[in-house]
Amino acid sequence: MVRTALLALVLSACSPSGLGDNPVGPAAADDLSWRTTHDGFALSAWESRQLNIDVGAGASNLNVQVTAATGDILASLVAPDGVTYDLEGDATARGIDVTSPASGLWKLTITARTGSAGIVPSWEVAGSTGPLVLVSNAYAQYAWVELNVPGALGVLRSSVSGETARHRVQTYSNYWSTVCDYGTDCELVFPRAGSVAFEADQGPGSLEVVWTPAELVLDQRTAGGTRTYAVDVRPAPRT
């Protein structure tokens, strides 16, 4: 069963016009940010775990934080060009800010110097003009990932890779309804509020779900404050 993180996605858009939710023009790069918080986990002494951070084009800042309830941790961040950054801090809290991070895959490595528990990594990408990877998981035979979305966020695109891998996508109102039958790719434009499930089988394979926010899809921005979208990503056995 695929294990995924609990994601809190924050989409910010500010304008002095005071026009509420009316579109007022093209999206500005520094109007968009999101923070991803990974599930907590434990590591034995000198055990490591690597996590991938996908940074879209045009990002103005990457903030990475790692905390631990107990123990002593080290953390480093490797940029797409191979440059390594050490996260500064103390035994149970480390962090780093990277200005104008390169687009691509950043690799966060967390190592426990002593047995450590309650390790929670999180990162925020600000100013990125690209889409956000919500789910990227390899699976052996079968995977089920469910998103609880609050409404028309934008576009959800899902795909699987693997020799025989396939997936289907279902939405839930009063009952599960298939919106994309078994295949390799699916696109949901402005999905309704509720649960969206991605069921992949015939592994080994890899399942990826990408979210492009409405403000980027429509090339417009929302004026007057900050919108917060909470997207709960969790594995759920089919019953």
Side-chain angles (χ1 to χ4, degrees):
M1 182 65 65
V2 170
R3 298 292 300 175
T4 57
L6 179 66
L7 307 182
L9 309 181
V10 180
L11 176 60
S12 303
C14 303
S15 168
S17 65
L19 297 177
D21 286 338
N22 296 323
V24 295
D30 60 0
D31 286 334
L32 298 173
S33 67
W34 47 72
R35 175 162 289 277
T36 300
T37 302
H38 196 278
D39 285 338
F41 55 87
L43 293 174
S44 302
W46 298 113
E47 183 182 5
S48 296
R49 178 172 295 191
Q50 180 177 290
L51 301 171
N52 293 330
I53 302 172
D54 188 76
V55 176
S60 60
N61 189 73
L62 171 62
N63 175 267
V64 181
Q65 302 292 326
V66 182
T67 61
T70 61
D72 188 350
I73 58 171
L74 298 171
S76 62
L77 189 63
V78 179
D81 62 3
V83 175
T84 299
Y85 301 84
D86 290 326
L87 276 65
E88 302 294 334
D90 56 32
T92 57
R94 295 185 175 274
I96 190 173
D97 270 301
V98 181
T99 303
S100 301
S103 61
L105 198 65
W106 290 66
K107 297 179 180 180
L108 171 64
T109 300
I110 303 165
T111 302
R113 290 200 287 195
T114 63
S116 304
I119 301 171
V120 178
S122 65
W123 52 85
E124 182 174 1
V125 180
S128 178
T129 57
L132 172 66
V133 178
L134 291 181
V135 177
S136 181
N137 284 100
Y139 66 94
Q141 295 180 348
Y142 176 87
W144 169 285
V145 175
E146 185 178 328
L147 309 183
N148 283 339
V149 299
L153 290 171
V155 175
L156 282 172
R157 295 182 176 89
S158 60
S159 62
V160 291
S161 58
E163 186 174 352
T164 60
R166 61 177 192 171
H167 82 304
R168 67 174 176 175
V169 181
Q170 301 176 84
T171 57
Y172 185 84
S173 178
N174 294 320
Y175 54 88
W176 286 107
S177 176
T178 299
V179 291
C180 288
D181 211 345
Y182 284 110
T184 57
D185 300 279
C186 181
E187 179 176 278
L188 301 182
V189 180
F190 304 116
R192 294 178 300 174
S195 295
V196 182
F198 304 84
E199 184 180 20
D201 65 3
Q202 295 189 7
S206 180
L207 170 66
E208 182 173 271
V209 182
V210 177
W211 167 64
T212 303
E215 281 77 359
L216 297 183
V217 176
L218 299 176
D219 192 30
Q220 68 184 30
R221 96 189 224 192
T222 301
T226 299
R227 283 182 174 180
T228 297
Y229 298 124
V231 180
D232 179 17
V233 183
R234 68 185 190 277
R238 187 73 181 276
T239 57

